[in-house]
Amino acid sequence: SNVQNAGEVTTQGFEMELMVQVAEPLRIGATYGYLDSEYDEFIENGVDVKDSKDVPYAPENTASITLDWAVFALDWGNLDFHLDWSYNDDYVPYIEPSQNATSQIDSYDIFNASLILSEVPLGDMSMQFGLWGRNITDEEYRQNTIPFGLWTISYFGAPATYGFDVRLDF
C-alpha cells in the first residue's frame, strides 16, 4: 500500500431522485448521480503533480431505477413485486496511474428482484414469505484490486444469488 497526503481535492456534483406513483399499486423511482473530482494540489517531493494523479473511488456517473408493484392485497395476505437496476460507472482504486493500469474497475449494472407474500394471518401472528434474487443476470464485475506490477488480484462482486425467506411476526 502506498499512503500519501493528497493536499487538496475538489469534489462536486449533483444527485437527482424521482419517484412517481403511476397508479395506486405501482410506483417507479429513478436516481442519477454525477461526480466531478479533481486535485487542486498534490505536492510530491516539492512538486505539484496534481495532473498526473488519479482520484480513487470516484465514479463519474451512478444511476438506478426501481419498480414496486403491489400485485394484490387480500384478507389472507399481500403480494408485492420489486425490481431494481443499478449502474456504477468505471473508476480507479488507486492514486497512482501505474497501479490503475491493471486495476481500473469497469462500469457495471446489477439487477435484483423480489416477490413477497406478507401479512399472512396465523392466529395472533402473521407470516411473510419472500422469494428473491440478487444480481439475477449474473454480471461478473470487479469491486476492488491489489496490483502487483503486471499482475492484479481482483475482488469480485457476488454472483447471481437466489433465496427464499420465511418470517414469523409475533
Side-chain angles (χ1 to χ4, degrees):
S1 293
N2 183 7
V3 178
Q4 294 177 291
N5 184 359
E8 294 181 30
V9 65
T10 297
T11 301
Q12 57 190 3
F14 64 89
E15 291 180 308
M16 298 185 315
E17 182 175 350
L18 175 67
M19 190 70 66
V20 177
Q21 191 78 36
V22 177
E24 180 65 30
L26 182 63
R27 182 175 60 215
I28 298 174
T31 65
Y32 173 74
Y34 172 77
L35 188 62
D36 178 29
S37 198
E38 58 186 44
Y39 293 108
D40 299 323
E41 178 181 85
F42 195 122
I43 304 299
E44 191 172 73
N45 299 323
V47 178
D48 190 354
V49 293
K50 68 180 181 185
D51 294 331
S52 64
K53 300 292 182 177
D54 293 331
V55 179
Y57 299 102
E60 187 174 2
N61 299 288
T62 56
S64 69
I65 296 174
T66 60
L67 180 135
D68 290 297
W69 177 29
V71 180
F72 62 74
L74 300 171
D75 291 341
W76 54 269
N78 302 330
L79 184 64
D80 297 306
F81 175 72
H82 173 83
L83 178 67
D84 67 70
W85 164 82
S86 62
Y87 170 80
N88 205 60
D89 213 352
D90 57 340
Y91 61 90
V92 294
Y94 298 100
I95 293 170
E96 293 298 329
S98 61
Q99 290 178 302
N100 292 323
T102 58
S103 294
Q104 177 169 320
I105 307 298
D106 293 330
S107 62
Y108 58 89
D109 26 20
I110 303 294
F111 287 91
N112 303 308
S114 63
L115 188 62
I116 298 174
L117 179 62
S118 63
E119 299 184 33
V120 176
L122 184 65
D124 292 341
M125 302 175 284
S126 67
M127 293 193 74
Q128 176 176 299
F129 304 91
L131 180 63
W132 53 266
R134 296 185 187 113
N135 188 12
I136 59 177
T137 58
D138 203 22
E139 176 83 9
E140 188 173 293
Y141 61 101
R142 293 195 305 180
Q143 291 184 309
N144 206 343
T145 66
I146 299 175
F148 293 100
L150 297 176
W151 300 93
T152 299
I153 294 175
S154 296
Y155 297 94
F156 287 84
T161 308
Y162 301 95
F164 181 74
D165 295 330
V166 177
R167 187 175 92 185
L168 177 64
D169 294 323
F170 54 95

